[in-house]
Structure formats: structure tokens, C-alpha cells
């Protein structure tokens, strides 16, 4: 990286060889230890502690600090520019150097940026490797990944109790959350609409069955129930707030912030869906500690290389599969299948297996679009199954004669 900061204002003249081309680490990168350079990069950045700055980030940033770059956290990204909070306050910076064609490497809310100390405009020169990242597939036919939030510790999945629960959608969010490296948390919003404690407990049980290993917390942002418990969870790091439009995310964010910071719109009564109150991803400091990234409502939540996340959501199926007679059991009609036996005795809901299969197939299709070897394996599998089907059909016709 060049230490010279004299840059052309016309981004078409930028030297693309200076762009940040390091792959973001999406699986959870451990922070480095203290810097051995002797430079105390944490000293000028103590005001950033409220935004999540720690010794690990300071050690990572030390080489850039020696070049005179300034650390800061990205709190909002717009087209071509971003807001970065630094030790001296929030500044507007140009993102031309950190906006490559690969959407997985575009700077994102939550990133820790290295910003030029002076200039008009000031440029973000690079960003630190991500510890975690919440990624979904884009609507593009090329099936690229899109990073929604970076360096997240908790993924809060907001689910409205104003409409019928969609457990399959919750499982989809959870798969992406687990894959990101963050700890998921399901928040059942608008709990005041279910005044019967017994009825509410049944809804919590239904969601808990679809979310093994995940805390499920009913919250009423208007009445205050559950808000304190949620605040205690998110106080220890960075949280991202996810969910559909109308799920009550902005109301929940205001309850955590203790102020009407985020605009709120009413959801349609007919289906509980809302318009996009939040249109950008914003990082906000919480009064009780921690920071919150509020996101726009997500209509489409496509998987992106989330096989391990899917496996974690359906961990009980993976555990049952270890008792199947055949190690490659597809849990369809094989003899000695422990998964099908669990469905038969009622200990596993058939809906869970159907949802598991659907997400695995979707994830496989997504990965196959960028993996030629996997595409070939899928084609061979299809051909083998087709040949098996034709053979079974011929055998059946022979018996009928």
C-alpha cells in the first residue's frame, strides 16, 4: 500500500492495483495479539472502545497507523461514500478504493476502516480483515454473495407475532446467522398482541423447536416486556437486527436506544407486512453498552454457501443420522433409517426434515453455480437416479405382464 495520499478526484483515474483485494474472512478470524512494532495504536483510539475497538483490532491496524492512516468504524454506507466514526468524530469518506466489482469485498457497515488523515475528499484506503460477516446470496443470476453486516457478535432475528409464524423462514435466517460466525437470537416482537401467557408459551416452544441452541425471547417494545433482558444480551458486542419489513425492527431499535432514533411505519393489517422504514444499514451505539446495526427489511433471504449453518440449525437430524444403517443414507426410503424412524414415532416433525432437505438443495444449487466439479457430481447423481428410475419402471412393467 502506498503511503502517499495525493489522489485524483476522478475515480476513473485511480490505480486499481492499490485497491483492497484481500478476501474477507467470513468464518470467524481470531484477532492478533499485541503489536510488536512498539506503536501504541490503541492510545489515540480509546474513544472508539464504545464502538468495539479492542487490542486485537489495534494490533491488526498497527501497520496502517505507521503509514499515517486513521482507524475508524463504518457506521453507514451510501453509493460511493460512507460515514466513518473516528477518535475525532464522524467523517464522510470516499469508498473508491474499497468498492471492487466483487460484492463480497465491498466495504460494509461494521467494517474497521483505514482512512486518510487529511484530504478533500478523504479516502478509505482499506479495511481490516473481518472476524465475522452476515452474507446472503444476491438476486443476481450469477448467485453472488452480498454482505449485510461485518464484525457482528449477535444476530437478532426479529419475528412478528402479529402474523402467523413462518418457521421455515426462521430456520433460513438461522442458517445464515450460524454461518456468519455470530450467535443467533430470535426475538418474538409485538408480544403484547398475545396477552394469554399460555398461548405465548406455546409460540415460544414452537420457535424453540425450530431453533436448537438458540435463545427465544418474547418482547414488547411498546410495553417494555423483555427489552431489559434483550439489552443485557446485546451489551457485550456488536449486534445486527434482521427480519422482514413489518417485523418491528425499528420499534425494537428505538426501545434499545431509549429514544425515537429510527423512523417507524405501521404494518398492513391484512398481512402484517410493512414498508421499508429503514433504507440503509446504520450502526448505532447503545446506551447500555454495545452497538446495533439496523438493517432494511429483507424480502429475499437466499442462502450463500451455508452448509455448516444449515447443519447447525438441524443438528438433531445430523445426530439421528449417525444411527442410520447406511452412512450415505438420504433419509428417503432406506431400511434402518433412524431419521425416518424418528418421524414415525413422532420425535421428529416431518416439517423439519422437509425444510432441511429444501435448504440443503438450495445451498447445493448456489454452490454449484461457482463450482464446476460439484456441478458435474450433481449431473452424475441425476443420471444415476434417472437410470435407477427407468430400471425400476421396466421391472414393474415386466411384473405386470
Amino acid at each position: 500500500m502506498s503511503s502517499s495520499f495525493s489522489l485524483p478526484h476522478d475515480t476513473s483515474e485511480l490505480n486499481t492495483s492499490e485497491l483492497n483485494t484481500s478476501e474477507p474472512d467470513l468464518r470467524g478470524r481470531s484477532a492478533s495479539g499485541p503489536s510488536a512494532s512498539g506503536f501504541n495504536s490503541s492510545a489515540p483510539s480509546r474513544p472508539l472502545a464504545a464502538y468495539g475497538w479492542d487490542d486485537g483490532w489495534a494490533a491488526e491496524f498497527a501497520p496502517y497507523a505507521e503509514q499515517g492512516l486513521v482507524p475508524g468504524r463504518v457506521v453507514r454506507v451510501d453509493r460511493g461514500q460512507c460515514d466513518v466514526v473516528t477518535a475525532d468524530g464522524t467523517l464522510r469518506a470516499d469508498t473508491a478504493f474499497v468498492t471492487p466489482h466483487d460484492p463480497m469485498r465491498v466495504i460494509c457497515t461494521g467494517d474497521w476502516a483505514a482512512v486518510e488523515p487529511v484530504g478533500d475528499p478523504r479516502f478509505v484506503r482499506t479495511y481490516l480483515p473481518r472476524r465475522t460477516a452476515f452474507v446472503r446470496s444476491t438476486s443476481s443470476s450469477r448467485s453472488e454473495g452480498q454482505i449485510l453486516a461485518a464484525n457482528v457478535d449477535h444476530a437478532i432475528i426479529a419475528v412478528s407475532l402479529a402474523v402467523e409464524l413462518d418457521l421455515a423462514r426462521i430456520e433460513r435466517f438461522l442458517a445464515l446467522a450460524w454461518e456468519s460466525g455470530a450467535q443467533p437470537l430470535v426475538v418474538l416482537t409485538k408480544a403484547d398482541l398475545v396477552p394469554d401467557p399460555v398461548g405465548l408459551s406455546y409460540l415460544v416452544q414452537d420457535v424453540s423447536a425450530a431453533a436448537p441452541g438458540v435463545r427465544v425471547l418474547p418482547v414488547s417494545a411498546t410495553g417494555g416486556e423483555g427489552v431489559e433482558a434483550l439489552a443485557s444480551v446485546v451489551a457485550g458486542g456488536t449486534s445486527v437486527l434482521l427480519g422482514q419489513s413489518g417485523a418491528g425492527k425499528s420499534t425494537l431499535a428505538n426501545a434499545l436506544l431509549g429514544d425515537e432514533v429510527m423512523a417507524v411505519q405501521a404494518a398492513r393489517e391484512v398481512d402484517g407486512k410493512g414498508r421499508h422504514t429503514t433504507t440503509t444499514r446504520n450502526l448505532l451505539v447503545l446506551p447500555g453498552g454495545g452497538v446495533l446495526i439496523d438493517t432494511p427489511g429483507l424480502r429475499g433471504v437466499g442462502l450463500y454457501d451455508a452448509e455448516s449453518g444449515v447443519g447447525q440449525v438441524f443438528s438433531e437430524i445430523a445426530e439421528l443420522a449417525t444411527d442410520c444403517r447406511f452412512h450415505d443414507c438420504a433419509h428417503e426410503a432406506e431400511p434402518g433409517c433412524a431419521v425416518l424412524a424418528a418421524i414415525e414415532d413422532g420425535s421428529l416433525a416431518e416439517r423439519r426434515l422437509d425444510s432441511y432437505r429444501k435448504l440443503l438443495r438450495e445451498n447445493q444449487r448456489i454452490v454449484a453455480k461457482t463450482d464446476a466439479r460439484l456441478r458435474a457430481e450433481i449431473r452424475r447423481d441425476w443420471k444415476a437416479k434417472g437410470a435407477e428410475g427407468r430400471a425400476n419402471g421396466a421391472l414393474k412393467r415386466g411384473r405386470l405382464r
Side-chain angles (χ1 to χ4, degrees):
M1 178 180 294
S2 171
S3 59
S4 172
F5 305 121
S6 177
L7 300 174
H9 288 196
D10 182 357
T11 56
S12 65
E13 299 176 14
L14 291 175
N15 180 2
T16 55
S17 66
E18 294 185 23
L19 292 175
N20 175 45
T21 56
S22 60
E23 285 285 352
D25 192 332
L26 304 182
R27 303 295 179 236
R29 176 187 174 94
S30 298
S32 304
S35 170
S37 66
F39 176 80
N40 185 6
S41 56
S42 62
S45 305
R46 284 182 189 136
L48 291 177
Y51 288 87
W53 184 262
D54 57 30
D55 290 342
W57 290 122
E60 292 263 16
F61 194 84
Y64 304 113
E66 290 173 348
Q67 298 176 35
L69 296 173
V70 176
R73 193 159 197 192
V74 178
V75 297
R76 177 188 173 111
V77 177
D78 298 305
R79 190 181 297 272
Q81 293 185 313
C82 65
D83 292 339
V84 183
V85 61
T86 70
D88 295 323
T90 302
L91 58 87
R92 194 76 166 158
D94 195 294
T95 62
F97 280 81
V98 284
T99 312
H101 293 298
D102 183 355
M104 291 284 285
R105 302 212 306 265
V106 172
I107 196 162
C108 174
T109 302
D111 275 323
W112 285 99
V115 188
E116 294 176 346
V118 294
D120 185 19
R122 291 166 73 170
F123 284 83
V124 174
R125 297 298 302 228
T126 188
Y127 59 86
L128 298 183
R130 293 161 177 154
R131 293 178 181 175
T132 64
F134 192 95
V135 185
R136 69 167 177 177
S137 66
T138 65
S139 56
S140 166
S141 59
R142 291 177 295 179
S143 189
E144 298 171 324
Q146 177 192 22
I147 295 189
L148 299 181
N151 303 312
V152 172
D153 302 296
H154 307 285
I156 305 171
I157 302 165
V159 180
S160 173
L161 292 179
V163 294
E164 185 176 354
L165 289 175
D166 186 344
L167 297 178
R169 189 174 184 85
I170 294 172
E171 289 162 345
R172 178 179 293 273
F173 270 107
L174 286 169
L176 293 175
W178 281 123
E179 191 71 30
S180 76
Q183 172 64 46
L185 169 67
V186 178
V187 173
L188 302 181
T189 64
K190 308 181 184 182
D192 52 291
L193 299 180
V194 187
D196 177 18
V198 176
L200 181 60
S201 69
Y202 284 144
L203 292 172
V204 172
Q205 288 176 21
D206 289 343
V207 176
S208 296
V214 177
R215 184 176 180 182
V216 180
L217 184 64
V219 172
S220 170
T222 56
E225 293 83 4
V227 173
E228 187 175 341
L230 177 59
S232 67
V233 172
V234 301
T238 299
S239 302
V240 61
L241 193 51
L242 305 157
Q244 288 182 284
S245 296
K249 298 188 304 301
S250 295
T251 304
L252 188 61
N254 286 335
L256 290 170
L257 291 163
D259 197 2
E260 296 293 321
V261 176
M262 307 304 295
V264 177
Q265 293 179 352
R268 296 195 301 256
E269 291 185 7
V270 63
D271 56 9
K273 294 182 180 179
R275 291 171 291 173
H276 287 303
T277 300
T278 304
T279 56
T280 59
R281 293 181 282 278
N282 303 283
L283 187 147
L284 306 159
V285 176
L286 297 173
V291 295
L292 180 70
I293 300 175
D294 191 18
T295 65
L298 301 175
R299 291 191 180 93
V301 192
L303 299 184
Y304 184 80
D305 195 9
E307 183 177 356
S308 64
V310 172
Q312 202 150 356
V313 175
F314 300 92
S315 56
E316 80 276 30
I317 295 178
E319 186 175 349
L320 285 168
T322 60
D323 293 328
C324 290
R325 182 181 302 175
F326 303 107
H327 75 278
D328 58 348
C329 182
H331 321 308
E332 292 176 349
E334 297 87 346
C337 175
V339 174
L340 295 180
I343 291 177
E344 187 69 25
D345 65 23
S347 58
L348 176 66
E350 188 171 1
R351 187 207 65 80
R352 286 280 286 170
L353 181 58
D354 291 341
S355 183
Y356 174 62
R357 287 170 172 162
K358 180 180 179 181
L359 292 181
L360 279 183
R361 286 195 301 268
E362 177 185 329
N363 190 71
Q364 189 179 49
R365 286 196 301 269
I366 294 294
V367 175
K369 288 183 179 180
T370 56
D371 190 327
R373 184 174 63 178
L374 181 57
R375 284 199 301 274
E377 290 177 357
I378 292 174
R379 282 196 296 269
R380 284 196 296 270
D381 185 51
W382 284 346
K383 288 180 180 178
K385 288 184 176 179
E388 183 181 355
R390 288 191 295 273
N392 290 337
L395 181 60
K396 184 181 291 186
R397 288 192 297 272
R399 287 175 178 170
L400 291 176
R401 292 176 188 145

